Amino acid sequence: MVGVTKDSDGKPIAPPYLSKPDAELGDMAIENADAVDHVWETGKGPVWMDPRGISKEDEKYMRWG
């Protein structure tokens, strides 16, 4: 998945705190159970993957995959 994992305030939830989607780096925060749990425990859930700003190529790849 290409995007930035964000909390309900629209802020990235874990390092490297991506400001925009990066297909090569990805945002592994979505796989970080401790980070996701922390967001919920602090009342800032839900956690969501924001794909805004991805390239047309990345979107095509995600839809294919």
Side-chain angles (χ1 to χ4, degrees), residues 36-58:
V36 172
D37 288 346
H38 177 74
V39 171
W40 283 102
E41 290 168 358
T42 57
K44 295 182 180 179
V47 170
W48 58 291
M49 181 65 77
D50 183 0
R52 292 177 292 182
I54 64 173
S55 70
K56 291 289 183 186
E57 287 179 357
D58 291 340

Side-chain angles (χ1 to χ4, degrees), residues 1-60:
M1 180 67 128
V2 180
V4 178
T5 309
K6 295 184 175 182
D7 64 17
S8 62
D9 293 330
K11 296 178 182 172
I13 69 165
Y17 300 112
L18 300 176
S19 59
K20 64 180 184 172
D22 185 316
E24 287 186 34
L25 227 159
D27 189 352
M28 295 307 296
I30 199 71
E31 303 280 337
N32 183 337
D34 290 336
V36 172
D37 288 346
H38 177 74
V39 171
W40 283 102
E41 290 168 358
T42 57
K44 295 182 180 179
V47 170
W48 58 291
M49 181 65 77
D50 183 0
R52 292 177 292 182
I54 64 173
S55 70
K56 291 289 183 186
E57 287 179 357
D58 291 340
E59 180 181 359
K60 186 176 178 180

